[in-house]
Amino acid sequence: MTGYDLVVRSRRTVTPDGERAASVAVRDGRIVAIGAYDDALAAAEDIDLRDLALLPGLVDTHVHVNEPGRTHWEGFASATRAAAAGGVTTIVDMPLNSLPPTVTVDALDAKLRAAAGQCHVDVGFWGGAVPGNVKDLRPLHDRGVFGFKCFLSPSGVEEFPPLSPSEVRSALTELAGFDGLMVVHAEDPALLAEPVGPTYREFVDSRPGAAERSAVEQVIRLARETGTRVHILHVSSADCLEPLAAAQAEGVRVTAETCPHYLTLAAEQVPEGDTAYKCCPPIRSAANRDRLWDGLASGVLSCVVSDHSPSPADLKVPSFAAAWGGIASLQLGLPAVWTEASRRGHGLADVVRWMSTQPAAMAHISRKGAIKVGNDADLVAFDPTGVNTVDAARLHHKNPVTPYHGHLLKGAVLTTWLRGRPADGVPHGTFLFGEQ
């Protein structure tokens, strides 16, 4: 066997060793060789990107698909089509806001049935940890979820209630028995309040950075006591960086992520009444944003993932006190982050590490996250100099609501390959399951 199914060449191939000129050879959906840019290789298809970049497919471990149950908010067909258009070849679906939430094996099976035949990218699943379902955690793990999500404060949907500190300890103790992973929405409910009015400032004041830091400190203490792996979701407050850095230096098994909207948007720029910008925890100040970038550069924050949490436009009423909180951005994460990262002196290798390699490593998703021999041939042709103005109506998200509407973003996804096949509108994604 000397021929390949596909060869993709680029003078800007981003590999684990950095950016270099290379050819990537694919057979049976896997990367089987990486050679010099001008290697003579026999292949059914040979594509030369020249000076366009070749990236590994992104891995987005924080996506709310919402199907079944709230499929009018989003669904597997629309979400995964948007993912592919944005250079994301793997998503991990959150256990809410679907109905039923993924807190039992039966609920996971219902989600698998709903998603079957619809997926344009590969899809894995988180389970949920809610009051009373400790007995369901091991069966869900054995069924292949990549870990479990819990809230410390109300989630916004009544069918997915938060855990008390004692319930978090019980769940972590259970997970420690099989080296499971808990991913945590960390806001301390004791430090949250109802907004006193409809403005953005009043909304941010109701969810202060101190609530995030307090919750992160609680989770770190419990992780230290139980030895369980924990991951802090969507860090918006840079005040969390200090306890996270100290815990990581101590050897506590804690990692953390942030999101494109916290890295690219700022509270000072939020138009009053434009609740497409509302999310929990909230977008904070430009000075806070700078500190989050420092957290990425230092490695305290390891992942950048979307927290794609869409809703219909009628739930985004023009009151920050009353509107649904969630950012829709699955298709836009790569250009949004690249726009700001390149301005701050970061390279494509940094973006790939934050948005592909480290999310895959955090969730223990094998064969994803890097252009290397043996991995799935999930590849992205990316023009780092392309410029586009976002038109929400032209995105593949089910509902045309995003705070990026009208924003000028740098970088364009030209082609996405999933296991060596173009993501060309025909669903050929597969389900991914965690290793037992």
Side-chain angles (χ1 to χ4, degrees):
M1 296 177 64
T2 57
Y4 302 107
D5 301 325
L6 172 69
V7 170
V8 185
R9 307 171 190 271
S10 168
R11 296 188 182 98
R12 300 190 64 182
T13 302
V14 180
T15 73
D17 299 323
E19 188 177 315
R20 63 185 177 92
S23 58
V24 178
V26 177
R27 184 186 295 125
D28 297 330
R30 297 280 188 93
I31 298 170
V32 294
I34 300 173
Y37 171 75
D38 56 358
D39 277 355
L41 301 171
E45 186 174 17
D46 193 319
I47 297 171
D48 189 350
L49 300 179
R50 302 183 188 278
D51 292 321
L52 298 174
L54 182 64
L55 316 180
L58 303 190
V59 177
D60 193 336
T61 54
H62 197 150
V63 178
H64 294 268
V65 176
N66 303 338
E67 185 175 7
R70 291 190 174 97
T71 311
H72 59 295
W73 291 21
E74 191 65 282
F76 283 98
S78 53
T80 58
R81 190 181 296 113
V88 177
T89 52
T90 301
I91 67 168
V92 186
D93 171 64
M94 282 292 169
L96 73 162
N97 300 302
S98 56
L99 291 168
T102 315
V103 296
T104 65
V105 169
D106 286 347
L108 175 61
D109 287 341
K111 185 166 283 190
L112 293 171
R113 289 192 297 271
Q118 295 200 71
C119 299
H120 297 265
V121 301
D122 288 351
V123 178
F125 303 89
W126 296 110
V130 296
N133 87 322
V134 168
K135 68 183 185 305
D136 295 295
L137 302 182
R138 183 61 185 257
L140 278 163
H141 168 80
D142 291 345
R143 190 70 172 80
V145 300
F146 284 94
F148 301 88
K149 180 176 186 177
C150 73
F151 280 75
L152 304 189
S153 56
S155 70
V157 291
E158 62 182 13
E159 68 274 4
F160 202 97
L163 297 181
S164 68
S166 64
E167 289 168 331
V168 175
R169 180 180 285 105
S170 295
L172 291 181
T173 300
E174 176 72 6
L175 267 57
F178 50 86
D179 199 29
L181 170 65
M182 183 73 85
V183 302
V184 184
H185 181 122
E187 289 181 286
D188 185 341
L191 298 178
L192 301 179
E194 291 297 322
V196 298
T199 69
Y200 189 68
R201 178 182 292 275
E202 290 165 319
F203 169 63
V204 174
D205 288 346
S206 75
R207 305 187 85 98
E212 278 192 79
R213 177 167 178 150
S214 174
V216 166
E217 290 172 339
Q218 292 177 42
V219 173
I220 288 170
R221 284 196 295 272
L222 292 170
R224 182 186 295 114
E225 292 173 12
T226 61
T228 311
R229 292 189 296 136
V230 296
H231 178 75
I232 306 299
L233 300 167
H234 48 47
V235 172
S236 83
S237 172
D239 291 344
C240 298
L241 297 175
E242 182 182 4
L244 284 168
Q248 290 166 356
E250 180 190 337
V252 178
R253 302 173 74 195
V254 58
T255 54
E257 70 187 36
T258 191
C259 304
H261 40 280
Y262 301 131
L263 296 170
T264 62
L265 306 175
E268 296 91 336
Q269 302 164 343
V270 174
E272 205 53 68
D274 190 347
T275 54
Y277 288 80
K278 180 180 177 180
C279 57
C280 301
I283 296 163
R284 304 190 189 277
S285 69
N288 178 83
R289 178 181 62 190
D290 291 343
R291 292 171 61 203
L292 291 178
W293 278 100
D294 291 341
L296 272 177
S298 70
V300 175
L301 302 175
S302 57
C303 306
V304 179
V305 292
S306 69
D307 189 10
H308 178 66
S309 186
S311 72
D314 61 3
L315 296 183
K316 287 290 193 179
V317 296
S319 163
F320 282 97
W324 171 261
I327 299 286
S329 64
L330 179 56
Q331 188 172 336
L332 300 170
L334 176 55
V337 172
W338 174 240
T339 298
E340 190 69 14
S342 60
R343 188 179 73 80
R344 292 172 180 265
H346 296 289
L348 285 173
D350 297 317
V351 173
V352 163
R353 185 171 67 255
W354 299 327
M355 301 188 77
S356 184
T357 307
Q358 292 182 158
M362 178 273 294
H364 289 184
I365 303 173
S366 60
R367 303 198 314 272
K368 304 289 187 181
I371 296 177
K372 67 178 184 179
V373 172
N375 270 14
D376 289 346
D378 296 349
L379 304 169
V380 177
F382 183 67
D383 180 0
T385 64
V387 177
N388 291 291
T389 299
V390 176
D391 180 353
R394 299 184 65 183
L395 300 175
H396 292 291
H397 306 160
K398 181 163 286 189
N399 292 283
V401 180
T402 180
Y404 291 101
H405 177 70
H407 285 226
L408 189 69
L409 299 182
K410 178 182 176 183
V413 173
L414 304 180
T415 305
T416 300
W417 291 270
L418 176 65
R419 284 175 278 107
R421 290 178 55 187
D424 56 4
V426 178
H428 63 277
T430 63
F431 296 146
L432 304 175
F433 299 101
E435 298 175 356
Q436 307 309 307

